[in-house]
Structure formats: C-alpha cells, structure tokens
C-alpha cells in the first residue's frame, strides 16, 4: 500500500511516498480502507522532531481517518500511521458517520473540534458573558473555537488572523471583530497556538482573573519564561493544554464529540474545510499549512 513516511527530521521535504505492507489488525482492532486522512499542525512538529525522538524513525504520521471497515461501514477513527491507504483502529473507538457527511467536516470535528471544545470548557472554563480572543482564528481549531465561544455564551468574540480573506471568513463565522494588540479592552480568555511574541503580548492583555490558554507553538521561537510574580500582579493565569493526554481521561471524548456532531447537524456549528491533497502530495499540504496559505481542515485522499 502507499503511505507517507519520513526517516529523518526536518521540514516538509522529509515526507516521502513509500510502499509498505498492509498493517495486520491485532486483538480488538479492525482494518480500515482510508477514504481521507486528516492533516494536523501537530504532524509538522512530528516531522521536525519537536514531538518525537530518533528512536521513532522511520515514522508514518497521521492520527485520524475516515475509512471503511471490511463489512462496508463508513467510520471516523483515531489511529496511528494515518497517512496511508490502509490503517488499523480499535473497534471500540469507531464512530459510524453518514454517507452524506463530508469527510473533511467529520475529521475537523474529531481533533480540531475536540481541541476547541476542551480549550473553552476544560482549560479556560468559560463563563457566560466573558470576552474571548482567538488567535489563528481561520485555522481548523480557531474557526471552531470562534463558533463554540459564541455557542457557550461568550459576550464578545474577537479574532486574530493573518490575511483579509481570513478576516471575512471569521466574521462570517460569528466573530464580533478582528483585532490586534494592544486590545481596546482587556480579555477574559485568550486562546493561543502561536507562542513567541504573540504570547507575550496576549499575557499583558488579560483582564483580572483572565486566562491565557496556550496549546501550541506555531511561531517555533520558544516562550519567554513566565514569572509567577507577574501573574500575581496581573491577577491572571496561564493554562497549558494538550489534547493527546486529555483523550485518555474518562468522559473526555464521547460526550464532547456527540455535542459537536449534534451542533453541526443542527446547523449551529460549521466545520471549515480547507484543501484536499492527494496522499502522495502530503509534502505540499505541510508546505501550505506552514506558510499559512490555508484555512480550516486539510485532508489527504488516497
């Protein structure tokens, strides 16, 4: 079968199409024929070595697919080695999805949707009427966080984006305005996946008892150490969030995912779908993602 693999760390150029043997399901697993594999920003960190060590090489990235079971069910699944024509998945974790549901939309609700849900509910613990600032608001997580913040009762939702076309997108999703720093009014919640200088500017923009939730480092420039005394003076907090360990905790997947699919079915949540790339062109998908040429959810199709 065709798969995408890297045997050294680096940029998108390390991703190579290879022929591998089809995986063999273990106990409790099922073999899926992949319809679409989701692309996540975390995949670029795997490729550059910031999520993995050399003992993991060679490595096939990808953590989610829409696929077919041997008996023809169309399912959404969390997997490992997802950039491939076939994958194995835990039978107990499969979620049946309708034939008419767009694969990219379903995949957006899996990783990006769960991330946005937990950023607001579990990490920031949003309360009705609070103001929310979403960085990278036109991306997969950001575009859903803008909508969920409104759904969860935010009083004002502000978006940070990098291009005029993205401004139009996020305003259409329900953001009250597109903003930069300094903010006109300090915010109760700021969701940051960028880090670097943007994190520093956001930290100083928190209202009293505000929460800055950090869940990524797209800037790849590192973070300024946070002085606890500064947090005391700001009367605010910094909260870290990572989806992977969250998914291992009881009740953190099924309930939130059911709510996300229900909101989407009711037309109250619109997953933004971006580009679709042939599986063999995974390198181009990563290049576009890193260059911020994309919006919403990207997928690879075998």
């Amino acid at each position: 079968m065709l798969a995408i693999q890297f045997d050294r760390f680096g940029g998108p150029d390390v991703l190579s199409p290879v022929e591998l043997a089809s995986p063999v399901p273990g106990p409790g697993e099922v073999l899926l024929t992949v319809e679409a594999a989701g692309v996540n920003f975390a995949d670029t960190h795997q490729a550059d070595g910031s999520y993995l060590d050399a003992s993991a090489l060679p490595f096939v990235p990808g953590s989610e697919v829409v696929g077919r079971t041997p008996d023809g069910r169309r399912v959404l699944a969390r997997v490992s080695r997802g950039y491939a024509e076939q994958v194995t998945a835990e039978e107990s974790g499969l979620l049946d999805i309708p034939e008419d549901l767009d694969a990219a939309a379903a995949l957006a609700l899996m990783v990006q949707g769960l991330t946005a849900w937990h950023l607001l509910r579990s990490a920031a613990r949003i309360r009705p009427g609070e103001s929310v600032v979403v960085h990278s608001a036109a991306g997969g997580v950001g575009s859903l966080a803008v909508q969920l913040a409104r759904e969860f009762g935010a009083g004002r939702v502000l978006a940070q984006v990098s291009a005029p076309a993205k401004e139009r997108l996020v305003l259409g999703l329900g953001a009250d305005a597109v903003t930069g720093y300094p903010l006109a009014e300090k915010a109760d919640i700021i969701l940051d996946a960028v880090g670097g200088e943007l994190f520093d500017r956001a930290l100083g923009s928190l209202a009293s008892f505000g929460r800055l939730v950090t869940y990524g480092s797209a800037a790849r420039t590192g973070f300024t150490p946070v002085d606890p005394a500064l947090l005391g003076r700001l009367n605010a907090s910094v909260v870290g969030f990572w989806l992977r360990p969250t998914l291992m905790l009881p009740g953190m997947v099924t309930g939130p995912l059911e709510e996300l699919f229900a909101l989407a079915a009711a037309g109250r949540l619109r997953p933004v779908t971006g580009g679709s790339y042939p599986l063999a062109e995974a390198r181009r998908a990563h290049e576009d993602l890193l260059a911020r040429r994309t919006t919403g959810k990207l997928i690879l199709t075998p």
Side-chain angles (χ1 to χ4, degrees):
M1 67 169 187
L2 178 68
I4 300 297
Q5 182 175 274
F6 56 89
D7 57 14
R8 68 188 193 283
F9 295 127
D13 59 296
V14 303
L15 301 175
S16 299
V18 295
E19 287 290 330
L20 298 178
S22 296
V24 177
E29 294 184 333
V30 62
L31 182 68
L32 301 179
T33 299
V34 175
E35 175 186 334
V39 177
N40 296 304
F41 205 89
D43 301 343
T44 69
H45 285 287
Q46 291 179 334
D48 70 16
S50 52
Y51 271 14
L52 301 171
D53 59 45
S55 66
L57 300 177
F59 192 82
V60 175
S63 59
E64 52 177 359
V65 302
V66 168
R68 294 276 181 186
T69 63
D71 60 2
R73 295 162 55 203
R74 187 173 186 248
V75 297
L76 178 64
R78 289 188 292 122
V79 300
S80 59
R81 302 169 65 87
Y83 286 16
E85 291 181 318
Q86 292 182 307
V87 298
T88 57
E90 293 285 343
E91 175 74 40
S92 60
L94 301 182
L95 178 66
D96 289 271
I97 59 174
E99 293 291 335
D100 60 353
L101 178 61
D102 180 72
L107 288 164
L109 294 176
M110 172 67 83
V111 170
Q112 281 77 19
L114 284 173
T115 298
W117 193 98
H118 282 296
L119 285 171
L120 290 162
R121 288 289 199 206
S122 304
R125 301 190 180 189
I126 186 172
R127 295 186 293 265
E130 290 191 311
S131 58
V132 179
V133 178
V134 181
H135 295 172
S136 305
V141 173
S143 60
L144 290 167
V146 165
Q147 298 174 75
L148 288 175
R150 179 70 67 206
E151 186 70 30
F152 295 162
R156 187 163 173 80
V157 181
L158 303 176
Q160 277 240 326
V161 294
S162 59
K166 295 181 178 182
E167 290 186 15
R168 294 190 291 272
L169 172 64
V170 297
L171 292 173
L173 293 174
D176 292 294
V178 172
T179 188
Y181 288 103
L183 300 177
E185 296 181 7
K186 293 194 172 184
D188 297 304
I189 295 169
I190 301 176
L191 306 181
D192 174 53
V194 179
E197 181 185 355
L198 193 61
F199 175 91
D200 297 337
R201 299 177 74 184
L203 182 58
S205 302
L206 288 173
S208 189
F209 297 105
R211 288 85 75 202
L212 170 54
V213 185
T214 172
Y215 66 102
S217 182
R220 285 177 161 82
T221 56
F223 289 87
T224 303
V226 177
D227 181 357
L230 173 62
L231 296 180
R233 290 193 298 272
L234 292 171
N235 202 24
S237 60
V238 174
V239 183
F241 177 78
W242 188 18
L243 182 65
R244 183 178 297 175
T246 303
L247 299 179
M248 301 299 106
L249 300 174
M252 291 297 196
V253 176
T254 303
L257 201 56
E258 287 177 350
E259 181 178 357
L260 290 167
F261 271 90
L263 289 170
R268 291 159 56 188
L269 181 65
R270 176 166 70 88
V272 177
T273 56
S276 175
Y277 301 77
L279 177 61
E281 296 182 20
R283 171 179 173 174
R284 183 164 63 89
H286 278 219
E287 289 172 341
D288 289 347
L289 184 60
L290 288 168
R292 298 188 178 184
R293 291 191 288 262
T294 67
T295 57
K297 184 65 180 179
L298 306 184
I299 62 170
L300 303 174
T301 55

